[in-house]
Amino acid sequence: MGRLSTHVLDTVNGRPAPGVGLTLDLLAADGSRRRIIETTTNADGRTDQPLLSGEALKPGTYELSFAIGAYFRNLGTALPEPAFLDVVPLRFGIADPNGHYHVPLLASPWSYSTYRGS
C-alpha cells in the first residue's frame, strides 16, 4: 500500500520542527489545484498520519507548502519583514501509487533542502 509522508527539520536549532503548518494540493494539467489536507507537524516534526495512503494516493503532481516563516517567528527568531523564506512550496510527482514517498524538508530562515526519503 502506497503512502506519502513528510518530516520537517529545523537546521538552525538541530532538531525536529514542531508546529509547522503545511498544506498538500493536487495540481491539475490546466493549472488548477485541489486542497487535499491542511495540518501541522507534531513534536517530532512529522504529521500524526500519512498525508495520503492507500487508494487516496494517486499518480499526479502535488505541492506541499510549509509555513517556515511563521514557525521561526513563533520561536522568536529575528526575521526581516518580509521574511526571506515565508512559505516554502515543494512540487513533486507521484508515479507509483504503491510506492512510499517521503518528502522531508530541512529548513532555516535562509535556506532549505529536500530529497525523496524512505
Side-chain angles (χ1 to χ4, degrees), residues 42-67:
N42 62 22
D44 192 36
R46 301 173 187 271
T47 56
D48 291 331
Q49 303 294 324
L51 298 170
L52 290 173
S53 63
E55 291 184 13
L57 184 66
K58 302 198 182 303
T61 302
Y62 293 82
E63 188 171 279
L64 263 171
S65 297
F66 299 87

Side-chain angles (χ1 to χ4, degrees), residues 8-68:
V8 183
L9 298 168
D10 173 342
T11 60
V12 171
N13 297 295
R15 64 179 187 170
V20 175
L22 63 94
T23 60
L24 175 67
D25 294 326
L26 176 62
L27 306 179
D30 66 3
S32 65
R33 59 179 60 223
R34 181 173 58 88
R35 177 70 35 94
I36 295 174
I37 191 169
E38 192 167 333
T39 190
T40 305
T41 57
N42 62 22
D44 192 36
R46 301 173 187 271
T47 56
D48 291 331
Q49 303 294 324
L51 298 170
L52 290 173
S53 63
E55 291 184 13
L57 184 66
K58 302 198 182 303
T61 302
Y62 293 82
E63 188 171 279
L64 263 171
S65 297
F66 299 87
I68 291 302

